[in-house]
Amino acid sequence: MIYVGLTGWGDHDDLYTNITNKKDKLITYSSYFPIVELDATYYAVQRTSTIEKWCSETPEKFKFVVKAHQYMTGHSDYRDHYDSIKDVFSAFHDMLRPMEKAGKLGFVLLQFPPWFDCTNKNIRYVKYAISQLHPYKIAVEFRNQTWFSDSYREETLTFLHSNGAIHSICDEPQAGIGSIPFVNRVTDQTAFIRLHGRNVHGWTQKDRTSEEWRNVRYLYDYNRTELEWLKSQVDILDHKTKDIYIVFNNNSGGHAAGNARDFIKMMDIRYDGLSPKQLRLF
C-alpha cells in the first residue's frame, strides 16, 4: 500500500478554505491524506491528553510518523531539562503508548543533523537510540554524505537492515556534505520517502536568521516531470515492499499539499476510510 501525506497539518492553508475554526484542521487534513508526519514531537514531548486527542480526531486507519525529539538526535543539548539522555528516551517512549494502543503509530523518525557523520561513535549512538525506542518501529534519516559515500553506502544500508530500521530515502538539494543523495534502496518491508524540495540555494543557513532560513529552506514546487520521476522510483519500490510512506516536506511556500494531491492522482490512488469532507453551507 502506498500512503501519501505531509509534514504537519497546520500550515497547508489551501486545504482549509472551508473551515472557520483552526481546531478542525487535523480533522480536515485527514479527509485528504491517510498519514501525517508529526513534527510537534521534535520540539516537545507531548502530553498524553494531546496524543489521545489527535488519535480521536483521525480515522481508524490513519497513521502518524512521529519525529523524534531534538534532544534524541543531537540537534540540541538535553542537560538543561533532563538528567540524562536515557530520561529523554523514556519520556518519549511513554508518550507514544496511547498512539500505539490506538493502532495509529506508523513509526518514529530519527532525523540526524548534518554534522552527524559516519563514525564509530555515531554508529554506536544510532544503535543505542533504536534500542531505547524498542519495540516501536524506527526510520533513520542521515543528513551527512559520509553515510552514503562509495566506501560506506552498502555498509550503511546493511547496518540499518540488521538493526531493524527503515532507511529514510530523501529527495533534497545536493549542496555539499550536509545533504545526501537519493538512494532508492529499502532495508525493511516498509519504505519511507521524504521530499524536501530541490532549492539548493536555500538548503544551508549561511548568513540568514533562523526565521529567514525557515522561509526558504523548503521553498520548492515539484513540476510534472519531477513528479513523474518520483512515480518511476515508487514503482520500483512497490515490487520490493509491503508499504510505502511518502511525505512531502516542501512547504516553505505552501507547495506540499498541491504536489501531494497531484501525485496521488498521478498514481491513481484512492483511499478508503478517510474523514468525511466537511460541507460548506454558504
Side-chain angles (χ1 to χ4, degrees), residues 157-210:
L157 295 168
T158 299
F159 166 71
L160 293 175
H161 173 72
S162 63
N163 283 276
I166 300 165
H167 164 223
S168 179
I169 302 165
C170 297
D171 185 62
E172 64 191 38
Q174 298 304 292
I177 193 69
S179 55
I180 61 169
F182 188 92
V183 179
N184 203 33
R185 300 274 296 280
V186 293
T187 57
D188 187 84
Q189 285 191 329
T190 297
F192 184 35
I193 301 176
R194 294 182 85 217
L195 299 151
H196 301 304
R198 299 177 179 180
N199 183 4
V200 66
H201 300 294
W203 189 243
T204 54
Q205 187 168 3
K206 298 179 181 178
D207 58 351
R208 301 180 181 95
T209 66
S210 295

Side-chain angles (χ1 to χ4, degrees), residues 27 77 152 238:
I27 298 172
D77 195 332
Y152 295 127
D238 202 21

Side-chain angles (χ1 to χ4, degrees), residues 19 27 73 96 132 136 156 188 195 203 232 236 242:
I19 69 172
I27 298 172
T73 50
L96 294 172
Q132 289 298 299
Y136 303 131
T156 294
D188 187 84
L195 299 151
W203 189 243
S232 71
I236 293 170
K242 178 182 177 183

